[in-house]
């Protein structure tokens, strides 16, 4: 089972967009049984596939809807409130992924309040309570039996949540806009990658697929910064040869009422679809070959 | 015509990015950062540190009949101080170890291990190599570890550098070690590397004083090592042992400089009323001139017995030629007194 995460502690660089593209490419185009995980308290990724609800306990945050399999008269469900998010891993409870409109894609949604609580765990406890939980969950036999790929969307942070993603992932991609601040975010992620790489057994390395230029525009700023990264001999190996341009469709497809729902529903000749396919195919090739 | 602005990523940031990448590429398969049980720790007999106290002493207590009892008791007291900070704030830097069968052999960090045991800890954070780091790599690890520590004596540091250079030359061939190369190997600053190099080649008296802990600061040692005249050096060394500051040492050396190389400005000053007490021998960019002077003097029957001293001089090097010329003047002065 391959576990791919999109990380960058700078916000708004396309982590969710890429997670979505990747999850849909793997499940819809490649028909690989895929689990999407939303590890961001903002729950943007979840909201793409589920009707997330406002959490009465924390009105500024979202929580997952009632699970379709939940039945009040089922005696097995007596201790369950009917909602299940990925954050249950921090509370010792089972995670019940939700089906999505795509046959091969399931989703373990976020839960704002509970994820924020994990992010805020005291430093002395964080290792036991947060860091290893996601890896433990993904290593469990039923998860490994059910899915061949896991796609994780992460929060714009370097905190405990992102660290636990680093510990659980087999591959990471760093989407970034070719501008000063997002590139600084790359630095934050390379630090985490380095820490994790140096802590791992050598037979299961954390592979950095690379930096994925996103929202790329043919401006001097974007071109110069990309060139600067490509010209550095150490960094250039990790600048992906594919990229996503700034295209209004990528933003429009996020809308709740978007039709079609997936970029892969567009016609073969659509440039955005071609670009998305090229990026996803490249990453898939790197991960699965 | 205006120049188009070129955007880029700051140098500090590209350096940071490439460093992280290099660290992973060079090290990820070689060691891992982890936590090891203190019960499975062993000390490395080849460590450059000079602790007498060992694991057994710390685990089971010191024995009065131990021939090193006193030294060990002293070390134990110091370890207890470290143990109490470990109790309150833990070990800051991970130790370095490698796996040897069931055990972890400590390459760097034995004091932290011993103190952690005293602090009743069960585990310690470690960087564990998959196999014993060899030769230069091992010495480098120890060096990096040791630079972070304050309790290491100058003698121990110099010993580290010497080992490091030896291993480096062993692996890459006998090449002359320059300050720049040393800086490159150790990531010392250039001045520090220069200091270490001059101290490494220090005359015996200075070396002994360092060994005995009488000279403890690198910059003072380097300054003294750089003094050509035996007499002035001895004076400076004694002053240093007696606690002279860097500034005071500099004064002593300034006197030597007056003696050995008169600055040109002296003439002007003399004109302005100072009584000249010495003659300036001038300077030249043509080393052949110096060679010619020296050789003509040596060809004189009174002086040809000194030829041997000058047989090794590399005349094309200014420092050699300068030293040779000073030596000649020194000899002449002595001969003239007689
Ligand atoms: N290539 C693109 N072209 C146009 N718009 C894009 C592109 N990629 C992302 N966007 C839009 O930019 C916004 C930010 O993207 P996204 O939500 O994927 O970033 P993020 O890294 O997940 O943000 P956060 O850190 O807040 O989670 C979204 O509105 C998204 O639709
Ligand atoms: Mg997002």
């Amino acid at each position: 089972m391959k576990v791919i995460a999109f990380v960058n502690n700078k916000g708004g660089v396309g982590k969710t967009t890429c997670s979505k593209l990747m999850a849909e490419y793997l499940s819809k185009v490649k028909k690989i049984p895929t689990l999407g995980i939303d590890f961001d308290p903002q729950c943007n990724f979840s909201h793409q596939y589920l009707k997330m609800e406002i959490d009465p306990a924390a009105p500024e945050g979202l929580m997952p809807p009632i699970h379709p399999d939940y039945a009040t008269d089922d005696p097995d469900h007596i201790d369950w409130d009917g909602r299940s998010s990925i954050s249950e891993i921090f509370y010792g409870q089972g995670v019940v992924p939700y089906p999505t409109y795509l046959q091969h894609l399931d989703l373990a949604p976020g839960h704002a309040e509970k994820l924020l609580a994990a992010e805020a765990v005291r430093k002395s406890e964080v290792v036991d309570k947060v860091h290893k939980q996601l890896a433990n969950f993904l290593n469990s036999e039923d998860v490994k039996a059910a899915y061949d790929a896991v796609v994780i969307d992460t929060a714009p942070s370097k905190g405990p949540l992102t660290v636990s993603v680093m510990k659980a992932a087999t591959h990471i991609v760093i989407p970034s806009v070719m501008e000063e601040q997002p590139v600084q975010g790359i630095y934050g992620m390379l630090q985490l990658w380095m820490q994790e790489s140096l802590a791992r057994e050598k037979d299961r390395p954390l592979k950095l697929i690379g930096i994925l230029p996103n929202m790329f525009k043919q401006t001097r700023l974007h071109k110069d910064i990309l060139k600067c990264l490509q010209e550095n001999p150490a960094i250039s190996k990790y600048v992906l040869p594919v990229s996503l341009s700034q295209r209004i469709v990528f933003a429009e497809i996020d809308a709740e009422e978007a039709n079609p729902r997936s970029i892969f529903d567009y016609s073969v000749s659509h440039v955005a679809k071609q670009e998305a396919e090229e990026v996803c195919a490249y990453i898939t090739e790197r991960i699965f070959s | 015509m205006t120049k188009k602005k070129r955007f880029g990523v700051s140098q500090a940031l590209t350096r940071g990015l490439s460093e992280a990448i290099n660290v992973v590429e060079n090290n990820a398969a070689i060691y891992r950062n982890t936590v090891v049980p203190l019960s499975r720790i062993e000390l490395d007999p080849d460590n450059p540190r000079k602790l007498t106290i060992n694991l057994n002493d710390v685990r089971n207590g010191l024995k009065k009949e131990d021939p090193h009892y006193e030294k060990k008791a002293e070390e134990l007291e110091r370890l207890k101080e470290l143990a109490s900070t470990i109790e309150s704030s833990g070990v800051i830097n991970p130790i370095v170890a490698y796996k040897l069968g069931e055990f972890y052999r400590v390459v760097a960090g034995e004091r932290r291990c011993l103190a952690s045991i005293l602090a009743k800890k069960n585990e310690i954070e470690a960087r564990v190599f998959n196999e014993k780091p060899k030769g230069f790599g091992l010495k480098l690890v120890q060096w990096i570890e040791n630079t972070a520590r304050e309790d290491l004596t100058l003698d121990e540091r110099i010993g580290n550098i010497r080992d490091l250079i030896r291993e480096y030359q062993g692996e890459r061939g006998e090449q002359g070690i320059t300050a720049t190369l040393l800086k490159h190997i150790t990531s010392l600053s250039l001045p520090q590397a220069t200091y270490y190099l001059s101290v490494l080649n220090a005359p015996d008296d200075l070396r002994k004083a360092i060994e005995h802990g009488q000279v403890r600061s690198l910059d003072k040692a380097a300054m003294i090592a750089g003094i050509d005249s035996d007499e002035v050096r001895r004076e400076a060394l004694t002053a240093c042992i007696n606690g002279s500051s860097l500034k005071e040492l500099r004064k002593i050396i300034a006197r030597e400089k007056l003696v050995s190389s008169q600055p040109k400005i002296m003439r002007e000053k003399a004109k302005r009323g100072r009584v000249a007490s010495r003659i300036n021998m001038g300077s030249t960019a043509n080393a052949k001139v110096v060679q010619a002077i020296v050789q003509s003097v040596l060809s004189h029957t009174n002086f040809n017995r000194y030829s041997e001293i000058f047989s090794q001089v590399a005349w094309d090097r200014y420092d050699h030629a300068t030293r040779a010329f000073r030596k000649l003047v020194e000899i002449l002065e002595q001969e003239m007194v007689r």
Side-chain angles (χ1 to χ4, degrees):
Chain A
M1 191 177 73
K2 308 294 182 186
V3 182
I4 168 153
F6 292 88
V7 295
N8 191 329
N9 54 293
K10 174 70 186 160
V13 296
K15 296 179 289 293
T16 305
T17 303
C18 291
S19 303
K20 193 176 156 214
L21 292 178
M22 200 64 208
E24 289 169 12
Y25 180 81
L26 292 172
S27 59
K28 189 179 162 79
V29 180
K30 304 301 274 186
K31 312 246 179 309
I32 294 173
T34 303
L35 173 66
I37 293 181
D38 190 352
F39 230 53
D40 180 358
Q42 299 177 91
C43 302
N44 300 137
F45 190 36
S46 316
H47 206 64
Q48 293 293 321
Y49 303 101
L50 302 177
K51 279 216 159 1
M52 296 294 282
E53 296 176 11
I54 288 173
D55 185 351
E60 64 282 5
L62 296 176
M63 65 177 184
I66 296 292
H67 198 284
D69 293 350
Y70 179 67
T72 32
D73 51 0
D74 187 333
D76 281 352
H77 292 175
I78 198 134
D79 293 328
W80 186 23
D81 67 356
R83 302 175 199 271
S84 182
S85 74
I86 188 63
S87 51
E88 310 303 340
I89 58 174
F90 301 123
Y91 302 88
Q93 256 140 57
V95 176
V96 191
Y98 289 65
T100 69
Y101 79 97
L102 292 170
Q103 191 195 345
H104 298 292
L105 179 65
D106 282 355
L107 186 79
H111 183 145
E113 180 79 350
K114 291 183 179 178
L115 284 173
L116 285 170
E119 185 82 340
V121 164
R122 283 221 321 276
K123 206 167 176 228
S124 57
E125 297 177 323
V126 81
V127 173
D128 293 334
K129 293 203 169 157
V130 181
H131 284 177
K132 292 178 188 154
Q133 300 308 335
L134 186 60
N136 289 345
F137 168 69
L138 293 179
N139 275 327
S140 68
E141 289 310 318
D142 13 337
V143 174
K144 285 200 281 195
Y147 306 103
D148 291 336
V150 177
V151 176
I152 309 176
D153 182 25
T154 61
S157 114
K158 294 185 267 193
L161 286 176
T162 307
V163 172
S164 49
V165 169
M166 291 280 178
K167 295 202 171 295
T170 56
H171 297 81
I172 51 174
V173 174
I174 308 177
S176 182
V177 180
M178 291 297 114
E179 287 166 19
E180 173 98 19
Q181 284 191 27
V183 174
Q184 273 166 12
I186 299 176
Y187 178 71
M189 290 305 104
L190 288 192
Q191 295 299 308
L192 291 190
W193 171 59
M194 178 175 85
Q195 260 168 38
E196 177 58 18
S197 295
L198 296 182
R200 284 208 185 189
E201 307 275 1
K202 66 174 165 190
D203 52 355
R204 46 176 294 274
L206 172 59
K207 295 242 173 68
L208 170 62
I209 303 274
I211 299 161
L212 173 65
N214 184 25
M215 300 188 217
F216 196 77
K217 283 184 284 200
Q218 295 297 329
T219 58
R220 178 144 298 279
L221 174 65
H222 284 195
K223 288 196 287 193
D224 281 357
I225 290 194
L226 179 61
K227 193 149 168 257
C228 194
L229 295 178
Q230 283 169 335
E231 278 171 358
N232 180 297
I235 304 170
S236 64
K237 278 175 283 178
Y238 294 93
V239 180
L240 298 191
V242 289
S243 63
L244 293 173
S245 308
Q246 168 85 33
R247 291 184 198 284
I248 199 74
V249 208
F250 288 125
E252 281 172 352
I253 204 103
D254 281 359
E256 216 163 319
E257 309 296 312
N259 184 17
R261 288 186 81 170
S262 170
I263 200 91
F264 300 107
D265 288 329
Y266 279 87
S267 76
V268 227
S269 60
H270 198 287
V271 278
K273 176 183 173 166
Q274 288 173 354
E275 199 174 68
E277 222 162 40
E278 192 190 9
V279 166
C280 293
Y282 175 83
I283 296 175
T284 306
E285 167 74 17
R286 287 279 304 272
I287 295 176
F288 286 91
S289 68
Chain B
M1 241 186 29
T2 54
K3 209 175 148 201
K4 257 196 236 159
K5 177 162 171 50
R6 180 156 154 70
F7 297 97
V9 181
S10 77
Q11 247 187 24
L13 188 52
T14 29
R15 196 179 322 120
L17 295 173
S18 46
E19 265 170 19
I21 290 168
N22 288 334
V23 168
V24 175
E25 289 183 346
N26 296 333
N27 300 305
I30 299 171
Y31 64 78
R32 58 188 294 248
N33 297 332
T34 180
V35 172
V36 301
L38 281 162
S39 58
R40 287 208 269 140
I41 285 285
E42 276 182 354
L43 301 185
D44 189 343
D46 302 330
N47 193 294
R49 296 223 54 257
K50 292 162 180 169
L51 271 189
T52 319
I53 197 162
N54 60 34
L55 268 174
N56 196 28
D57 296 328
V58 169
R59 287 189 179 130
N60 306 319
L62 288 181
K63 303 260 178 326
K64 267 266 189 298
E65 54 279 12
D66 191 319
H68 303 292
Y69 180 81
E70 263 176 29
K71 181 131 194 270
K72 286 183 174 181
E74 218 172 84
E75 289 173 353
L76 187 63
E77 278 317 300
R78 287 214 278 164
L79 284 176
K80 279 181 185 161
E81 283 166 28
L82 182 57
S84 73
T85 65
I86 288 177
E87 251 167 59
S88 57
S89 44
V91 173
I92 296 164
N93 294 317
I95 62 158
V96 181
Y98 64 92
K99 250 193 127 182
L100 192 72
E102 285 286 276
F103 289 89
Y104 296 93
R105 199 163 241 203
V106 179
V107 175
E110 54 176 55
R111 292 186 75 244
R112 275 165 287 167
C113 287
L114 296 174
S116 296
I117 295 171
L118 285 176
K120 304 244 177 317
K121 299 274 176 196
N122 294 318
E123 295 170 327
I124 190 162
E125 276 188 43
R127 167 169 298 182
V128 178
F129 281 79
N130 300 329
E131 52 192 69
K132 179 173 176 149
K134 284 192 284 284
F136 175 63
L138 176 69
K139 293 298 171 202
L140 189 59
V141 168
Q142 289 170 343
W143 162 255
I144 291 167
E145 282 298 303
N146 284 341
T147 48
R149 297 204 348 228
E150 271 154 26
D151 62 333
L152 211 68
T153 66
L154 180 57
D155 187 37
E156 287 168 320
R157 282 176 205 274
I158 295 170
N160 278 188
I161 295 271
R162 189 177 293 118
D163 289 349
L164 200 62
I165 292 177
R166 198 190 52 232
E167 295 293 346
Y168 185 85
Q169 290 177 325
E171 266 170 39
R172 325 259 157 123
E174 283 285 334
Q175 45 179 305
I177 301 283
T178 62
T180 318
L181 181 58
L182 186 61
K183 167 188 142 98
H184 179 72
I185 308 177
T186 55
S187 61
L188 284 166
S189 69
L190 190 60
Q192 271 187 318
T194 315
Y195 288 172
Y196 272 114
L197 268 190
S198 54
V199 174
L200 270 177
N201 304 316
D204 278 348
D205 50 355
L206 176 59
R207 248 205 319 254
K208 284 235 168 56
I210 293 172
E211 225 170 83
H212 295 144
Q214 293 168 305
V215 174
R216 286 184 294 271
S217 110
L218 177 63
D219 37 8
K220 286 186 193 171
M223 191 179 275
I224 297 170
I227 305 177
D228 279 339
S229 137
D230 284 349
E231 194 186 325
V232 181
R233 192 185 59 250
R234 267 195 297 276
E235 189 188 339
L237 183 56
T238 315
C240 176
I241 293 172
N242 294 331
S244 284
S245 67
L246 210 56
K247 206 169 150 195
E248 287 161 337
L249 291 180
R250 220 171 265 141
K251 268 192 205 150
I252 296 174
I253 292 163
R255 277 215 312 277
E256 188 220 14
K257 289 230 175 89
L258 272 179
V259 174
S260 57
S261 66
Q262 292 289 348
K264 281 186 190 147
I265 195 100
M266 277 302 288
R267 271 204 334 253
E268 263 75 25
K269 275 192 182 159
K271 271 188 206 153
R272 269 187 258 123
R274 269 235 218 142
V275 181
S277 57
R278 296 176 180 280
I279 298 154
N280 181 9
M281 307 282 281
S283 68
T284 175
N286 187 350
K288 286 234 162 63
V289 172
V290 179
Q291 188 177 7
I293 297 174
V294 173
Q295 278 168 356
S296 2
V297 174
L298 292 178
S299 63
H300 194 285
T301 43
N302 287 357
F303 300 110
N304 59 23
R305 61 198 157 99
Y306 292 108
S307 296
E308 185 56 33
I309 299 180
F310 297 90
S311 63
Q312 301 289 324
V313 175
W315 291 104
D316 51 344
R317 286 187 47 182
Y318 285 159
D319 54 340
H320 277 220
T322 306
R323 237 177 288 140
F325 187 71
R326 282 190 200 147
K327 190 77 204 164
L328 181 79
V329 174
E330 210 177 281
I331 291 168
L332 286 168
E333 280 178 331
Q334 281 170 10
E335 289 288 330
M336 302 302 168
V337 170
R338 278 184 205 156

